[in-house]
Structure formats: C-alpha cells, structure tokens
Amino acid sequence: MPIQLTVFPDECDTFGHLHQAAYLSMFERARWLLLAQGPGMDVFQRAGAWPAVRRTTIDYHAGAWPGDVLGFDVEVVQRGRTSFTLRQRAVRVGDQRLVAVAEIVFVCIDANQKPVAVPDEVFAAMSGVQRIALSTGVTLSVEARGQGGAALLLVHGYPFDHSMWRAQLDGIAGHRIIAPDLRGMGESTDPELPAGAATTLGTHADDLLALLDALTIPRVVLCGLSMGGYIAFEFLRRYPDRVQALVLMDTRPGADSAEGRLGRDKAIALAAQGGAAAIADSMIGKLLSAAADSAVRDAVLAMMQRAPVEGIVASLGAMRDRTDATAMLTTIDVPTLIVVGAEDQLTPPDQATAMATVIPGATLEVIAGAGHVPPMERSRETNAILQRFLDRVCES
Ligand code: MLT
C-alpha cells in the first residue's frame, strides 16, 4: 500500500486547504518513510552515494483539507547514469481523487559532492523496487507490497514491465503483491547474459520459481497477462505444487501459427532495425480500447518505448517457440479466474470464453471499455475483480 499521511491544520493556508508549499514536505516525508520502512536510512552511507534533488515540479489537481488522508506512491520515470527521475502521486484515500503529482530529478553525488553513477542499492531504495539475485543466475527488479492474505504474483506481458501493475500494487488490500520485471525486461537487464542469449518461457518460469524460493513463498496466486499468461501455463506445467490459484488475463493457450511465427521473425528484424520505438509504434494501435484515456495511452507507449531491445528480441523468440497449452486446460485443478477486455483485439473475448468453458470451475470476467491491457485501462474494475478473487481464494 502507498505511504499514508494525514493533512494537519498547521499545513493549511487561510483558505483552509493544504498549502502548496506543504505538499513539497509531504512528498519528502513520504520518501523518507519509504526508506525508513524499507532498507533503512543508512542506505546512502553504505553505498557511498547520496541523491541530491536537482529539480522538482508539482502539478496540483485538487484541494486537500485537514484530516484528509493522502496516499503517496512512487514510480521511476527515467534512469540515467548519474541521475534518475521519480514521479510521486498523492491520492486522497477517501475518494481516490488525484490531488497532486510531483516529478523529482535526483543526481547522485559522492562524499566530495561529485556526481557518481547511481548505485543499484540506492536506486532500489528510492524507487521502492528491490533487486533480488536468484539461483538461476539473474537479478530481477521486483516491486512488492502488502502482507498477509494470499501471495499474488503478477507477470507482465510483452513488451511491458512490472509498472503495468502499478494500480494493482497500490490498490489491492490485505494480500501480498509481487510484481517482477522479467529477465531482460524493465530493470531486470543482466550484463552477465550474452546479448541474444536464448530465453524460453521455461527460463522465465524457472526464474519465477527461484523468486518464490528467495522470498520463501510456498504457493502463489499466479496472474499473467498475455505473454505473462503463456509463462503462467509453463509454470503450472513445471511447478503445479506452487500454484494455489490462477488468473489468466488477456491471454490464450494456443501456440503461434506458421503465419504468427513468421510475424515474430519480422518483429525481431523490426526491433533490430528501429529499436523499441518501432515496436511500440507497430503495436499501440491495436493494444487499447477505442475510448482509452490519453494518459493511459501515453503510459503504455512510454513503457514499450523504454523496453530493452535485447529483451524484446528474446521475448519474441520465446513466444514464437512456445508449446501449445490447450491440452492442459482440462487438467487445471486450482481455482481459475479468466479476465479479458471486451475490446481486446489481440486475444479477443471469444478465446477467453473458450478457455472458461474447458477449465473446470473457471470464472470469466469481461471488462467493458478495456482492450488488451485492462489493469491499466480499467484499473478500478480490474482491482475489484482481483480483490474479490483473492478474498475468495483465502476463504476456501
Ligand atoms: C503480450 O501482450 O504479451 C503480447 O501481445 C502477446 C503476443 O504477442 O502473443
């Protein structure tokens, strides 16, 4: 859950609402608490680097009054060699109204005030993202929230990263939520891996198992969107004892057709030639519902544009060569929820309906006004559906 702070009367102006300058100290306090509750305030001393604020911009969206409880979340917008930018949002807990958004540019300096490369430990501490070294030889960036209840493992699609689950990390209560960047994607790049090293969906499944072991989680509710769903099938095939329940979101069980495989090869060539931007351009038109909010569109586009090219290429190869999971559907014996956007063009609702009819006891939820990425396009509806399912899984 986001850090929560209460607005005090002495932070308000003569009009009675939170003073514009007081927001700055609340954003600061929220970051301080994130560090204090996480890695500890001595993280900078340990790393020999301190993030100094270079620039702050704040957009004010709505007023806040004494007694209002504001939830502060944080996400990374940009990471450079010596600098990084965080975006913090303040949302009123009572009515979920967005109150203010701050963007803060930090430059890391050493004890002599000279800029230094951002140490991983500092970056992880400031962004709320942990770096977890796994027995499979890679280090994954993982964002985790919450305690108790079920453990929900959120597996992102292609060419995305864990930030697609921002609203779920912030909005689902009473359960432990874990959202990794898959190997080669987001911040989970690994310099040790030779460029173009083969990654299969099985490699991702093995990483996820190693992640559960590292976090000492015996069983999870495994939720995958699209490619994440393909990985969920592979995980279930290999490690059924570690799956308590399954959420298949905007995905399908079948392997690629011959034409589809050819399409993957063309996309690999496009990525090599035009980078992540070319892939993002080629996909954005089909990803979202016709009514998609422009902020959501921008966020999806930005996420795809910053995807590492090697990760894109590896994902395309892994999806092209994946095994057909159709035959295993009738054998799935854990509670299963199938979610699909009503306007999903890539994995349309008829495929979700077909899965729901063959997986024993599966529940199907179709989300109106969403395309291929309901967790971002219709986050409230997605959260409500996941929350109900998780609560039910815990009761049974
Ligand atoms: C995804 O969203 O993960 C991809 O669209 C899946 C695919 O290309 O098959």
Side-chain angles (χ1 to χ4, degrees):
M1 296 297 286
I3 298 286
Q4 295 193 350
L5 297 173
T6 303
V7 176
F8 290 134
D10 63 349
E11 292 166 322
C12 297
D13 60 18
T14 47
F15 304 108
H17 57 230
L18 186 60
H19 192 282
Q20 51 91 17
Y23 282 90
L24 194 59
S25 54
M26 290 188 93
F27 281 118
E28 170 98 32
R29 217 181 316 151
R31 291 199 304 277
W32 197 93
L33 282 168
L34 188 74
L35 290 174
Q37 293 172 10
M41 297 306 293
D42 58 347
V43 58
F44 308 125
Q45 202 69 33
R46 290 199 302 265
W50 289 261
V53 174
R54 170 122 172 246
R55 184 170 58 246
T56 302
T57 49
I58 301 181
D59 286 325
Y60 301 97
H61 291 268
W65 282 267
D68 279 356
V69 177
L70 303 181
F72 290 81
D73 62 20
V74 63
E75 72 176 306
V76 178
V77 182
Q78 175 271 343
R79 181 178 181 176
R81 201 182 73 79
T82 59
S83 69
F84 59 96
T85 305
L86 297 184
R87 180 180 295 138
Q88 285 183 277
R89 296 182 323 139
V91 174
R92 189 172 23 239
V93 171
D95 58 4
Q96 287 298 300
R97 184 95 192 262
L98 179 66
V99 171
V101 181
E103 279 202 10
I104 307 126
V105 180
F106 295 88
V107 176
C108 261
I109 52 174
D110 64 14
N112 299 316
Q113 315 270 306
K114 293 270 181 291
V116 286
V118 182
D120 279 348
E121 194 187 3
V122 167
F123 179 74
M126 295 290 289
S127 60
V129 174
Q130 295 167 263
R131 303 271 302 158
I132 303 182
L134 303 181
S135 57
T136 48
V138 285
T139 299
L140 296 192
S141 281
V142 182
E143 195 162 349
R145 301 278 172 87
Q147 300 288 336
L152 174 68
L153 178 60
L154 297 169
V155 187
H156 63 76
Y158 157 88
F160 302 160
D161 57 48
H162 87 276
S163 70
M164 64 155 288
W165 304 111
R166 166 82 28 234
Q168 288 65 52
L169 282 159
D170 292 342
I172 294 174
H175 301 279
R176 186 173 179 186
I177 322 281
I178 304 122
D181 284 340
L182 293 168
R183 152 194 312 240
M185 301 301 280
E187 292 290 327
S188 292
T189 47
D190 191 334
E192 299 299 318
L193 282 178
T199 302
T200 63
L201 298 184
T203 320
H204 290 306
D206 291 350
D207 284 346
L208 294 179
L209 178 77
L211 177 61
L212 297 189
D213 288 345
L215 296 172
T216 61
I217 297 175
R219 292 175 87 213
V220 279
V221 177
L222 180 58
C223 170
L225 180 128
S226 200
M227 180 181 77
Y230 310 159
I231 295 168
F233 286 128
E234 193 54 42
F235 187 96
L236 190 62
R237 192 194 315 275
R238 292 173 182 225
Y239 311 113
D241 296 349
R242 306 298 288 266
V243 181
Q244 181 182 7
L246 193 60
V247 183
L248 300 168
M249 214 178 262
D250 296 84
T251 193
R252 56 190 159 147
D256 277 2
S257 62
E259 193 191 348
R261 290 169 62 85
L262 220 58
R264 301 289 187 198
D265 290 336
K266 284 189 184 150
I268 288 173
L270 180 67
Q273 205 184 3
I279 292 289
D281 278 356
S282 71
M283 290 184 68
I284 190 68
K286 286 193 167 172
L287 276 179
L288 306 175
S289 86
D293 189 278
S294 65
V296 168
R297 187 181 183 281
D298 290 351
V300 173
L301 199 55
M303 178 171 62
M304 294 195 291
Q305 285 167 342
R306 65 173 180 257
V309 173
E310 311 80 59
I312 290 178
V313 169
S315 302
L316 285 164
M319 289 192 288
R320 178 194 60 205
D321 300 336
R322 74 186 186 279
T323 312
D324 196 312
T326 311
M328 71 185 287
L329 296 183
T330 53
T331 68
I332 294 177
D333 59 358
V334 291
T336 301
L337 168 68
I338 297 167
V339 180
V340 67
E343 296 173 43
D344 186 344
Q345 299 178 50
L346 299 183
T347 46
D350 58 339
Q351 299 187 358
T353 310
M355 276 197 292
T357 50
V358 289
I359 299 178
T363 310
L364 173 66
E365 297 274 5
V366 181
I367 301 187
H372 191 57
V373 201
M376 296 178 79
E377 299 177 75
R378 286 281 181 257
S379 55
R380 278 190 192 206
E381 292 82 345
T382 307
N383 282 4
I385 289 167
L386 287 174
Q387 184 80 54
R388 268 200 307 276
F389 184 66
L390 291 168
D391 293 347
R392 187 157 64 80
V393 164
C394 280
E395 279 162 16
S396 57

